[in-house]
Amino acid sequence: MHRASLEPAVLEHVNSFLKALKSPLRGLTSTFTHISGELAILERLYYKGKNQHRSALFWQRVAETRKYGQRLQAMDVLALLENLRASFYGEREFVNAKVFKGAWSHYPDAPYLRNVLKSLKTSTLLLEKVRRVHVEDWSGR
């Protein structure tokens, strides 16, 4: 759907949404870069110690953390949000930053937005579970 076919009230909401999305995307980029490095270290530790520590309780926690990290990477939340933003500019995938210099011209269709929201909800639930299980358990609460 093109921007011209939307009501003026909707235009304001979309403008606010796109403006609000820009800053968290920058933060998520650095966060996911950091997490990726940490998961690479965890993967190496897991590979080196899986036979030696397999039955230890702490090792079961390490294996569980590794599994959650792999799921989080597979979800690729950063690419999902970048592609959502790009969809307002007529692109279905993030190509380059030049696309975002102009005004947005498209409005994604409802099924696409529902799928994005469903994926974001799933990733939020996963992160909440990881926080609840690992942060609280590892800190002894």
Side-chain angles (χ1 to χ4, degrees):
M1 182 183 306
H2 288 284
R3 178 181 180 149
S5 63
L6 296 174
E7 297 178 21
V10 175
L11 296 176
E12 258 324 292
H13 291 294
V14 173
N15 287 334
S16 298
F17 169 75
L18 290 174
K19 186 175 183 180
L21 186 60
K22 189 187 290 187
S23 179
L25 270 175
R26 288 186 193 126
L28 280 176
T29 302
S30 64
T31 300
F32 277 103
T33 302
H34 181 74
I35 287 174
S36 178
E38 296 290 327
L39 288 174
I41 293 169
L42 181 62
E43 189 65 34
R44 184 72 180 153
L45 288 171
Y46 181 82
Y47 175 76
K48 287 288 195 175
K50 67 181 176 186
N51 292 330
Q52 181 179 5
H53 303 292
R54 189 178 321 193
S55 61
L57 181 60
F58 82 90
W59 195 255
Q60 292 170 4
R61 294 282 188 194
V62 168
E64 188 177 22
T65 302
R66 176 179 170 258
K67 180 179 74 175
Y68 285 135
Q70 289 172 337
R71 284 185 187 168
L72 185 61
Q73 276 187 324
M75 289 180 144
D76 205 3
V77 175
L78 183 59
L80 179 73
L81 289 173
E82 286 175 338
N83 291 338
L84 172 63
R85 186 172 176 223
S87 69
F88 284 91
Y89 293 88
E91 305 287 332
R92 275 300 183 174
E93 293 192 17
F94 178 72
V95 179
N96 60 29
K98 286 184 180 180
V99 172
F100 303 119
K101 299 240 184 238
W104 62 276
S105 59
H106 291 75
Y107 188 77
D109 55 348
Y112 174 74
L113 291 174
R114 273 195 294 276
N115 286 336
V116 169
L117 288 175
K118 183 179 176 185
S119 296
L120 289 173
K121 181 178 180 181
T122 303
S123 63
T124 302
L125 292 173
L126 174 66
L127 288 171
E128 180 58 31
K129 181 177 182 180
V130 170
R131 187 199 62 79
R132 188 178 60 251
V133 170
H134 284 70
V135 173
E136 292 175 0
D137 285 355
W138 286 78
S139 65
R141 291 183 194 172

